[in-house]
Amino acid sequence: MSHKRIPKRRAAMAAGGVVALGAAAILLPNANASQDGGPSDAAAAPRTLKAADASDLASQLAGMLGDAFAGSYYDTGEQQLVVNVVPGDNNQVIVEAKKAGADVREVDNSMGELRGGATTLKSEATIPGTSWAIDPRTNKILVTADSTVTGEKWDRLESTVEGLGSGMATLEKSAGTFRTFVSGGDAVFGGGARCSLGFNVTAGDGTPAFLTAGHCGVATEQWSDAQDGAPIGTVDQAVFPGEGDFALVKYDDPATEAPSEVNLGDQTLQIGQAAEATVGQQVFRMGSTTGLADGQVLGLDATVNYPEGTVTGLIQTDVCAEPGDSGGSLFTQDGQAIGLTSGGSGDCTVGGETFFQPVTTALEAVGATLGGDAAGGAGDQAGGEEAGGEEAGGGDAVGGGEEAGGEQAGGDAGAGDEAGGDAGAGDAGDGTGTGVGGSDDGTGVGAEDGSGLTG
């Protein structure tokens, strides 16, 4: 593990602290600054926004629009917030939403109708291997069934979806199997299981702790940072299955240094605050099996029916993950903590659906705050201004590109075999690497072929 040790004071692993970088390259702070310029008539054209600002605006408009609000999502291409509204008598609220800078779209299904459909699915089709989440881009419920849902179970699910009515839901089949991503092996260890550390936090009593997946927390009480090593943390709270998949693990040594950062291998990304996810938002995941991967948020408030039981309130994405990545950190380019890896289907070769526990919900439930920021609660961190000056982490845009080549991501730091054992196979390098980018602060991440994302 790439974390230093201090005599008499064990230094905690950085959040998601793992091994080799995966195929994705992270886009670091300042690469997507907000642009406030545009026509003086705010109603004439939607504003260009960063994803974090779009999330804040969506929350405000949801309250203002009331029953007319039918969900929202972030259009990454246009960098705009799209807000769904159900036409009604009060057109003034729609005018106000446009003046606020949103791209307003009229749709057929209200949030009440969509949530009602989800309630019907829960009562009539809670079948292991299924999931559903409201997709604001289609204004429908996205229902997914994995490869185990066949025969009578498939017929029951299909009949329930059809019973919701035309235009209410879509039904898709996944080639994989929904499962939690826990494995025997690397990163944080407990009871023969391997998971990934999500984010370091400060517990409600002021002691250092970290968040990970709840199904890791219920698997065993004590966790170590080395296979067969001495325990460094003890589970304080864990939820799984049920209303979430999260656990708070307190470090046994109260003098533990627990930095609020994600370890990317040869560099770290500072985590400034927790934030709500937005559909369409680009996110990054770090885990002990597959390293760094990226993708988009597909749905919110997702329900997943794992073999172990039903979990609600999750974030659905297309970011890949594999066994051992459970509990790992989901975050944004500018250092916002978004989620903890729960489970899903597929792998990082063929892809698949993945689900994450929202960090804001976990922090509120366990009474913790991110890193050493004991002054701010989860609610304060979930929105508003970014931490650390203009953007969390500071610094100018970071270059990958040609200058980002460097050491291969294989070697001793390789991502290893999922079943556990050593920290990684020596031939696990996939051509990705880390190196010096073109930024003022000299940091950057990119692939050896020059494909690293740049500011």
Side-chain angles (χ1 to χ4, degrees), residues 6-419:
I6 302 173
K8 303 296 183 180
R9 295 169 61 86
R10 182 185 297 270
M13 289 173 291
V18 292
V19 286
L21 292 176
I26 185 169
L27 181 63
L28 291 173
N30 266 346
N32 185 24
S34 177
Q35 302 173 27
D36 295 322
S40 57
D41 183 1
R47 290 173 55 200
T48 300
L49 301 166
K50 292 186 297 182
D53 296 332
S55 178
D56 293 340
L57 178 59
S59 297
Q60 296 168 20
L61 291 178
M64 183 184 78
L65 292 169
D67 292 340
F69 180 75
S72 64
Y73 64 95
Y74 183 63
D75 184 332
T76 55
E78 298 295 330
Q79 293 184 300
Q80 294 171 350
L81 174 68
V82 181
V83 174
N84 296 334
V85 297
V86 177
D89 297 331
N90 188 2
N91 290 326
Q92 183 58 36
V93 293
I94 297 177
V95 172
E96 293 301 320
K98 290 181 178 179
K99 286 183 177 180
D103 180 5
V104 178
R105 184 178 71 154
E106 293 189 0
V107 295
D108 295 327
N109 300 319
S110 69
M111 284 300 292
E113 290 170 329
L114 293 170
R115 287 170 178 157
T119 299
T120 299
L121 286 164
K122 180 179 180 180
S123 63
E124 299 182 12
T126 297
I127 301 166
T130 61
S131 72
W132 49 81
I134 294 173
D135 181 2
R137 288 176 293 191
T138 62
N139 188 230
K140 296 180 181 180
I141 304 169
L142 174 60
V143 183
T144 307
D146 73 11
S147 60
T148 68
V149 181
T150 59
E152 183 180 343
K153 292 188 292 184
W154 171 262
D155 293 341
R156 176 178 153 201
L157 180 64
E158 189 175 42
S159 174
T160 303
V161 170
E162 290 176 353
L164 296 178
S166 175
M168 277 292 293
T170 57
L171 178 58
E172 296 184 356
K173 188 77 171 178
S174 172
T177 301
F178 289 161
R179 67 201 190 281
T180 54
F181 289 130
V182 65
S183 179
D186 195 357
V188 288
F189 306 82
R194 170 172 61 114
C195 288
S196 298
L197 189 152
F199 298 97
N200 282 319
V201 298
T202 301
D205 60 2
T207 60
F210 66 84
L211 294 176
T212 190
H215 63 267
C216 299
V218 300
T220 187
E221 185 178 10
Q222 293 188 310
W223 289 86
S224 172
D225 61 353
Q227 192 170 20
D228 299 323
I232 65 166
T234 302
V235 175
D236 181 72
Q237 302 176 54
V239 173
F240 178 85
E243 297 181 359
D245 184 4
F246 56 89
L248 177 71
V249 182
K250 288 186 177 180
Y251 288 105
D252 295 334
D253 182 356
T256 297
E257 293 183 353
S260 184
E261 59 189 31
V262 175
N263 182 359
L264 304 177
D266 283 356
Q267 64 172 290
T268 59
L269 175 68
Q270 294 299 312
I271 299 298
Q273 62 182 3
E276 302 288 351
T278 302
V279 172
Q281 178 181 27
Q282 183 185 31
V283 285
F284 298 85
R285 177 200 52 73
M286 200 68 183
S288 65
T289 297
T290 56
L292 184 66
D294 70 301
Q296 281 194 356
V297 175
L298 302 180
L300 305 178
D301 198 21
T303 294
V304 186
N305 297 300
Y306 292 122
E308 300 91 340
T310 299
V311 180
T312 60
L314 301 182
I315 301 165
Q316 184 170 350
T317 81
D318 61 5
V319 184
C320 73
E322 296 182 7
D325 289 332
S326 279
S329 42
L330 185 75
F331 52 95
T332 64
Q333 61 185 14
D334 54 358
Q336 294 185 327
I338 299 294
L340 307 167
T341 306
S342 175
S345 69
D347 54 37
C348 287
T349 299
V350 300
E353 303 82 14
T354 47
F355 303 94
F356 296 82
Q357 164 66 45
V359 169
T360 53
T361 305
L363 287 171
E364 182 177 3
V366 301
T369 55
L370 272 172
D373 184 16
D380 296 333
Q381 298 173 32
E385 297 180 359
E386 295 177 335
E390 283 189 323
E391 293 189 51
D396 291 329
V398 177
E402 295 180 357
E403 296 180 66
E407 299 174 2
Q408 287 195 334
D412 294 336
D417 115 19
E418 294 175 12

